[in-house]
């Protein structure tokens, strides 16, 4: 159990991680909380009775598409002139990939076709880019690359030689910057392309110290002693909307397997509940203090968590761990109030090749309640949720030096390391500079 908590504690800087109604409905139109990230380009202006207050809106897919289209309008003329290709949004996966029988319910997964414009009689789709929106409790919205043409090809071929992967990553970086993301992250096996070193911005950060862990469905079933005959794992894929996740979570948490825990209980954070958002923020700061990181590195607060976790397809979900407050056992009366002592923060990702998965961004328990079973409870609940939502895998990151933890994940949970793949990313100022280098990269091709 202690190893699980150590994993969660040391990951906030590395992870690329609910509340459903607008926060103003909770705290009133004249007392809206100011976000630490109010400079985000997605910010809108909300008028109160007496003042004008900056306020962000929940992210919706159509907002992402608006920014994608803006970037494509910017880059397509030069791509067509220089390379004879253009980019267009993938709005119907079945139509674009007729042979693949693709039908996905991934509301925050986005695809862009690369179309050959050199032959006007036949504009063939030659490849595609794709990305999804994830979440970090320290940075907020993050953009993750899924498919980038032949980026995962280990051979040094013409594709790598002309640095198209650099060019396409710069296009996705432009989208990330417009969305207000401070991270563009991808996974890649070596050998690394030569542009990593020749790029004027400098090479991306390669997080060599991190292992990417995943459990497939069979491993998840074994870990939670799941009965494969249950109808919850039918061919019908549950929707990823908030209401569906709420129903499945409620069913799991009220089951005899988890409702009877002798010390801890767990619940999905209440929609519109400012106290839950503040509890989440306290725990995120507690994690930072625990690992002796400055609180100034946390760029999100309770108001951000309320907005980013709202809407029909929130960017993340928070599960709160609770324990009864200590009372005089000799006194009769109502059940004691519950104290929030930990949280687990997850989001649903998607891979074109691997399908839907659940990603664990944070798992933290207050030090006074560690080593008592709270972390194990959280992992069992989340694994069961991944199965209920028909996720193909459950994923997280772990530090390579923590051998006892690695043994726990592999030997007791049945998790496996994605051998060779490493988390790679551009962040903050370097992300903006990398995006701005698109024109120079294209000229040099």
């Amino acid at each position: 159990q202690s190893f699980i908590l150590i994993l969660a504690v040391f990951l906030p800087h590395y992870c690329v991680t609910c509340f459903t109604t607008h926060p103003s409905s909770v705290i009133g139109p004249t007392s809206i909380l100011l976000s630490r990230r109010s400079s985000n380009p997605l910010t809108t202006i909300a008028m109160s009775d007496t003042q004008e207050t900056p306020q962000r809106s929940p992210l919706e897919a159509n907002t992402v598409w608006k920014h994608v289209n803006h970037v494509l309008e910017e880059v397509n003329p030069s791509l067509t002139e220089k390379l004879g290709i253009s980019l267009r949004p993938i709005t119907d996966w079945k139509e674009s990939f007729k042979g693949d029988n693709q039908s996905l319910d991934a509301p925050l997964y986005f695809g862009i076709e690369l179309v050959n414009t050199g032959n006007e009689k036949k504009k063939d789709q030659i490849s595609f880019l794709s990305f999804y929106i994830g979440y970090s409790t320290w940075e907020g919205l993050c953009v993750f690359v899924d498919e980038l043409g032949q980026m995962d090809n280990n051979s040094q071929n013409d594709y790598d030689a002309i640095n198209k992967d650099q060019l396409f990553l710069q296009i996705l970086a432009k989208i990330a910057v417009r969305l207000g993301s401070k991270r563009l992250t991808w996974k890649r096996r070596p050998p690394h392309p030569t542009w990593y070193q020749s790029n004027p911005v400098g090479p991306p950060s390669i997080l060599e110290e991190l292992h990417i862990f995943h459990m497939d469905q069979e491993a998840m079933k074994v870990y939670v002693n799941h009965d494969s005959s249950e109808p919850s794992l039918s061919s019908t894929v549950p929707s990823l909307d908030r209401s569906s996740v709420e129903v499945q979570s409620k069913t799991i948490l009220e089951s005899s397997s988890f409702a009877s825990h002798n010390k801890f209980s767990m619940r999905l954070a209440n929609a519109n509940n400012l106290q839950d958002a503040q509890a989440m923020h306290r725990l995120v700061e507690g994690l930072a203090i625990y690992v002796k990181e400055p609180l100034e590195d946390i760029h999100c607060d309770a108001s951000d968590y309320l907005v980013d976790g709202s809407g029909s397809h929130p960017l993340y979900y928070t599960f709160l761990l609770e324990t009864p407050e200590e009372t005089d056992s000799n006194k009769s009366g109502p059940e004691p109030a519950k104290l929030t002592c930990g949280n687990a923060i997850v989001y649903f990702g998607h891979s074109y090749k691997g399908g839907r998965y659940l990603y664990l961004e944070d798992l933290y328990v207050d030090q006074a309640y560690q080593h008592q079973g709270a972390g194990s409870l959280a992992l069992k609940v989340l694994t069961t949720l991944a199965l209920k939502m028909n996720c193909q895998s459950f994923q997280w990151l772990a530090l390579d030096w923590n051998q006892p933890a690695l043994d726990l994940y592999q030997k007791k949970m049945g998790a496996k390391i994605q051998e060779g793949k490493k988390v790679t990313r551009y962040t903050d100022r370097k992300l903006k500079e990398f995006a701005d280098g698109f024109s120079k990269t294209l000229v040099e091709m």
Side-chain angles (χ1 to χ4, degrees):
Q1 180 61 25
S2 60
F3 305 138
I4 295 169
L5 299 178
I6 289 172
L7 160 72
V9 162
F10 281 93
L11 290 184
H13 282 306
Y14 300 131
C15 295
V16 181
T17 50
C18 261
F19 318 87
T20 57
T21 305
H22 208 278
S24 62
S25 65
V26 181
I27 56 182
T30 60
S31 58
I32 298 172
L33 290 172
L34 293 179
S35 166
R36 294 185 186 180
R37 296 189 287 121
S38 60
S39 60
N40 188 307
L42 300 181
T43 297
T44 58
I45 299 299
M47 294 296 294
S48 70
D49 296 337
T50 59
Q51 62 184 352
E52 190 175 276
T53 304
Q55 179 155 342
R56 294 190 301 113
S57 300
L59 183 69
E60 300 289 347
N62 59 357
T63 303
V64 178
W65 280 125
K66 175 182 177 181
H67 291 288
V68 169
N69 286 326
H70 180 95
V71 170
L72 299 190
E73 289 174 3
E74 173 191 344
V75 303
N76 268 336
S78 54
L79 286 174
T80 300
E81 179 180 357
K82 182 72 175 181
L83 302 178
I85 63 174
S86 66
L87 309 179
R88 65 187 181 195
I90 299 175
T91 56
D92 187 334
W93 288 90
K94 281 189 174 181
E95 177 63 25
S96 297
F97 302 94
K98 293 179 180 178
D100 290 350
N101 194 29
Q102 282 288 331
S103 178
L104 54 90
D105 176 18
L108 295 178
Y109 184 84
F110 304 89
I112 301 171
E113 288 181 297
L114 280 66
V115 180
N116 184 354
T117 60
N119 184 343
E120 289 298 325
K121 294 181 179 180
K122 187 177 182 180
K123 296 184 178 181
D124 294 325
Q125 177 261 330
I126 57 175
S127 187
F128 73 99
L129 319 177
S130 64
F131 66 93
Y132 60 93
I133 305 297
Y135 200 71
S136 161
T137 53
W138 289 38
E139 301 285 358
L141 177 155
C142 298
V143 173
F144 294 85
V145 180
D146 181 42
E147 291 288 331
L148 196 71
Q150 299 180 40
M151 187 177 70
D152 266 339
N153 194 329
N154 289 335
S155 63
Q156 295 294 323
N157 50 31
D158 290 341
Y159 188 94
D160 285 328
I162 62 175
N163 292 343
K164 279 187 179 177
D165 58 348
Q166 177 186 3
L167 187 75
F168 297 152
L169 279 169
Q170 286 173 313
I171 293 170
L172 296 180
K174 284 178 172 289
I175 295 171
V177 170
R178 282 193 60 87
L179 288 170
S181 172
K182 294 186 178 182
R183 300 180 188 176
L184 178 70
T185 302
W186 62 97
K187 303 172 186 175
R188 184 164 185 166
R189 293 184 175 90
H192 303 305
T194 56
W195 69 261
Y196 275 22
Q197 298 301 324
S198 61
N199 178 36
V201 178
S205 298
I206 302 173
L207 306 182
E208 300 284 359
E209 69 274 30
L210 289 178
H211 287 310
I212 304 167
F213 269 94
H214 77 284
M215 298 172 70
D216 60 20
Q217 281 199 351
E218 289 306 312
M220 288 190 283
K221 291 175 188 177
V222 171
Y223 179 56
V224 298
N225 298 317
H226 187 89
D227 182 356
S228 60
S229 65
E230 288 188 15
S232 59
L233 293 182
S234 68
S235 58
T236 303
V237 179
S239 172
L240 284 182
D241 60 90
R242 167 78 190 199
S243 60
S244 178
V245 175
E246 283 182 332
V247 169
Q248 296 292 352
S249 299
K250 185 173 185 291
T251 301
I252 293 167
L253 294 169
E254 291 181 351
S255 68
S256 58
S257 300
F258 302 113
S260 58
H261 195 281
N262 59 0
K263 186 172 180 64
F264 299 102
S265 60
M266 192 169 172
R267 65 178 176 86
L268 186 64
N270 288 330
N272 307 323
N273 193 305
L274 180 59
Q275 288 184 335
D276 280 355
Q278 291 170 333
M280 176 181 170
H281 185 238
R282 177 186 68 78
L283 291 161
V284 169
E285 289 192 330
L287 185 150
I289 294 169
Y290 187 82
V291 295
K292 297 180 174 58
E293 292 284 354
L295 295 181
E296 291 76 16
D297 285 354
I298 300 173
H299 301 291
C300 298
D301 59 20
S303 61
D304 293 308
Y305 299 144
L306 279 170
V307 176
D308 293 335
S310 64
S312 58
H313 297 102
L315 299 185
Y316 71 93
Y317 292 90
T318 294
F319 289 85
L320 297 176
L321 286 155
E322 298 177 326
T323 190
E325 290 185 345
E326 292 185 5
T327 59
D328 187 345
S329 59
N330 295 322
K331 292 183 178 180
S332 60
E335 292 185 5
K338 290 185 177 182
L339 175 71
T340 300
C341 61
N343 65 354
I345 298 160
V346 298
Y347 61 80
F348 292 95
H350 186 85
S351 165
Y352 181 80
K353 296 175 181 176
R356 177 186 295 180
Y357 62 87
L358 184 68
Y359 183 82
L360 175 59
E361 161 69 6
D362 278 353
L363 172 59
Y364 177 71
V365 175
D366 284 329
Q367 293 183 61
Y369 298 95
Q370 292 179 13
H371 320 300
Q372 300 174 42
S376 293
L377 172 65
L379 286 171
K380 294 272 188 178
V381 167
L382 296 175
T383 303
T384 305
L385 176 64
L387 288 169
K388 289 280 189 181
M389 298 302 296
N390 210 352
C391 294
Q392 299 305 303
S393 65
F394 180 25
Q395 303 183 15
W396 64 93
L397 302 178
L399 289 160
D400 59 3
W401 54 258
N402 193 348
Q403 192 59 48
L406 302 182
D407 291 341
L408 173 67
Y409 307 140
Q410 292 174 295
K411 295 177 181 179
K412 292 188 177 181
M413 295 181 65
K416 295 181 180 179
I417 296 173
Q418 292 185 2
E419 296 291 348
K421 278 194 173 183
K422 290 297 179 181
V423 174
T424 308
R425 68 187 189 185
Y426 277 113
T427 61
D428 301 315
R429 177 182 56 82
K430 289 185 72 173
L431 173 60
K432 175 67 165 57
E433 292 176 353
F434 179 64
D436 290 342
F438 165 82
S439 297
K440 185 175 185 298
T441 300
L442 185 61
V443 166
E444 295 175 349
M445 293 178 71

